[in-house]
Amino acid sequence: MGGTNLRTAAVHLLGDGQVGVTMEKHEITQELKTGTGEAMFNWIADCLASLLKTVAVDMGNTDLHMGVTFSFAIHQTAINRGNVLAMGKGFDLSDVLGKDLKDLLEDGFKRKNLPIVVSAIINDTVGTLVSHAYVSPSTKIGVILATGTNAAYIERASEVSKYNGPECDQMILNTEWDAMGKAEYLPQTKYDKEIDAVSLVPGFQEFEKMVSGLYMGELVRLALVDMIEQKAIFEFLEGKVPESLQTRLAFKTLFMSTIESDNSAEHIAVERVFKTSFGIEGLTAEDRIRVFDLVHAIGLRSAAMVAAACSALLYKANGRSVNLDDTHEITTIGIDGSVFEKYPHFSRSMMEALTDILGEDRASCIRLELARDGGCIGAALVAMVSHHGGAV
């Protein structure tokens, strides 16, 4: 369950890094995001019932054991239990905060007569790391970069002061880096501060609001509105902002991708976006260049900030699960999410920033790889190990 969609999947592990996946995707409506917890978990149960019908799973009287990837903060108390914390990403569910996610899910299953037991709850970043390590064993960091952002990495258990479970050498830590960073030291612009001020929870997830897909387009819109009012762009509008640009989140990050995909000197894609989506025509060549430069700057900043955060994890893990100074050792960062997958040149911009931060020798041993559907596959892997009594 992420910030935009719920994915349900039946996963068949084939060995040698191969999997068979039957997946269904369901959009989470705004009504569900801001409704009751009961309505949300009833809907989740209905989506699972649809999947079971598709794959024709019949376990008789045996319970189905499920792994859950939950892309929101929880206070985890066991491998299959955790209390829901502030969710963010536009979610404001009633009667959910502080309650155990396993109970919320299984109560919904019982209401819908589904024999499903939650065997594991993981974060999407943990799922991404686990699933990509199944394919690429050199994976040491998992990153989500979509509607929101987060990361997990492999840390030495002795470094985790909160851990009081069975003795182990290493463990995967969910960083919740989306909520790290404060206005005092993040390089915020006035547009970043405005986005934070009107969000559901001001002062929360300030890093995420600067880099993720939900907010990148809004940064462009706020800057454009400011520039139009100052007559620094679209001078034919005479400082009046069209109604189509006044709506919050009206400028989608998808529009940024469309604009950056056009490498022509004329930047015709800029004109097409504004004509088709906002009814604005008559842009000059200078207008198109300024819009392109604005979009490019915001996309580049996002890539650089995510690279800086990855570098911090690499430095933290160096000498433990990572060896940055061994030129023969490859370290892979598995990244799932639409921003990394679909935003033009994002991977290249991240790699350039990593080189600036780490230096050429260290950066040459880092691989950025797309990790598709990591949450579903990772949850299945962890649920399987947990159900069979393995260490997780």
Side-chain angles (χ1 to χ4, degrees):
M1 179 176 173
T4 304
N5 298 303
L6 172 75
R7 290 178 173 86
T8 58
V11 179
H12 185 198
L13 302 177
L14 304 174
D16 296 324
Q18 302 299 309
V19 294
V21 181
T22 301
M23 182 181 298
E24 294 181 355
K25 184 169 74 172
H26 307 269
E27 183 180 357
I28 307 172
T29 66
Q30 190 62 31
E31 182 180 3
L32 281 168
K33 289 181 180 181
T34 55
T36 66
E38 182 172 328
M40 173 64 78
F41 290 100
N42 282 346
W43 175 75
I44 291 173
D46 287 336
C47 293
L48 279 166
S50 171
L51 175 72
L52 294 179
K53 184 176 180 181
T54 299
V55 298
V57 172
D58 184 4
M59 299 289 288
N61 295 322
T62 305
D63 288 335
L64 288 166
H65 289 264
M66 182 177 74
V68 178
T69 295
F70 194 63
S71 308
F72 306 90
I74 62 171
H75 174 231
Q76 191 136 15
T77 56
I79 188 59
N80 62 346
R81 290 192 174 275
N83 299 322
V84 179
L85 304 177
M87 294 181 69
K89 301 177 188 176
F91 282 74
D92 188 21
L93 296 174
S94 63
D95 303 321
V96 165
L97 199 64
K99 293 188 177 179
D100 194 302
L101 182 60
K102 175 181 170 71
D103 294 337
L104 291 168
L105 285 162
E106 291 183 355
D107 286 348
F109 301 155
K110 289 173 185 176
R111 289 192 292 269
K112 299 293 182 175
N113 297 313
L114 295 176
I116 300 175
V117 174
V118 176
S119 293
I121 298 172
I122 62 174
N123 186 270
D124 52 354
T125 53
V126 174
T128 296
L129 198 164
V130 170
S131 65
H132 203 64
Y134 181 66
V135 176
S136 180
S138 63
T139 304
K140 302 299 170 62
I141 296 176
V143 175
I144 297 293
L145 192 56
T147 305
T149 186
N150 192 14
Y153 76 109
I154 299 174
E155 179 58 275
R156 196 162 56 190
S158 60
E159 294 289 310
V160 186
S161 59
K162 290 183 178 180
Y163 182 65
N164 56 8
E167 185 176 347
C168 64
D169 180 34
Q170 294 181 333
M171 63 191 303
I172 297 174
L173 281 186
N174 164 31
T175 67
E176 291 297 334
W177 78 11
D178 55 319
M180 293 186 182
K182 294 296 180 184
E184 296 85 68
Y185 52 84
L186 286 174
Q188 290 184 332
T189 65
K190 61 182 179 182
Y191 312 120
D192 296 303
K193 293 175 182 177
E194 185 173 344
I195 283 176
D196 180 56
V198 301
S199 65
L200 286 172
V201 188
F204 180 58
Q205 296 178 317
E206 290 177 89
F207 175 74
E208 177 172 283
K209 291 166 184 172
M210 297 179 70
V211 304
S212 72
L214 180 60
Y215 303 103
M216 288 166 66
E218 179 66 358
L219 284 166
V220 173
R221 188 192 70 84
L222 291 173
L224 283 172
V225 167
D226 190 19
M227 293 168 71
I228 291 171
E229 289 176 341
Q230 295 184 43
K231 299 181 181 179
I233 199 171
F234 304 171
E235 292 184 15
F236 58 91
L237 295 175
E238 298 179 344
K240 298 177 182 177
V241 179
E243 191 173 328
S244 57
L245 269 177
Q246 294 178 21
T247 304
R248 183 173 176 266
L249 302 177
F251 199 99
K252 308 297 183 186
T253 302
L254 173 63
F255 300 157
M256 296 177 64
S257 295
T258 300
I259 289 169
E260 285 235 54
S261 295
D262 178 8
N263 295 317
S264 68
E266 296 79 15
H267 302 303
I268 300 302
V270 173
E271 189 160 355
R272 186 167 63 249
V273 164
F274 280 88
K275 180 180 179 180
T276 303
S277 301
F278 301 100
I280 301 174
E281 300 183 64
L283 277 63
T284 65
E286 188 175 357
D287 286 333
R288 295 195 297 272
I289 291 171
R290 288 185 176 179
V291 170
F292 180 87
D293 288 347
L294 171 64
V295 166
H296 180 69
I298 290 173
L300 194 62
R301 187 188 74 162
S302 174
M305 290 184 69
V306 173
C310 287
S311 298
L313 295 185
L314 289 168
Y315 280 130
K316 181 67 174 69
N318 193 29
R320 301 177 179 96
S321 61
V322 172
N323 191 343
L324 291 175
D325 296 311
D326 184 347
T327 57
H328 301 291
E329 181 176 311
I330 298 298
T331 298
T332 299
I333 302 175
I335 308 178
D336 192 4
S338 55
V339 174
F340 181 78
E341 180 179 5
K342 298 179 179 179
Y343 197 90
H345 321 305
F346 202 93
S347 176
R348 185 179 69 195
S349 297
M350 273 190 70
M351 203 64 238
E352 289 173 353
L354 283 169
T355 302
D356 287 342
I357 297 166
L358 300 174
E360 287 189 16
D361 290 343
R362 286 177 163 182
S364 68
C365 298
I366 306 299
R367 301 290 183 269
L368 304 179
E369 294 182 359
L370 179 63
R372 288 191 181 92
D373 304 322
C376 290
I377 298 169
L381 283 163
V382 176
M384 179 194 69
V385 174
S386 175
H387 178 53
H388 288 88
V392 291

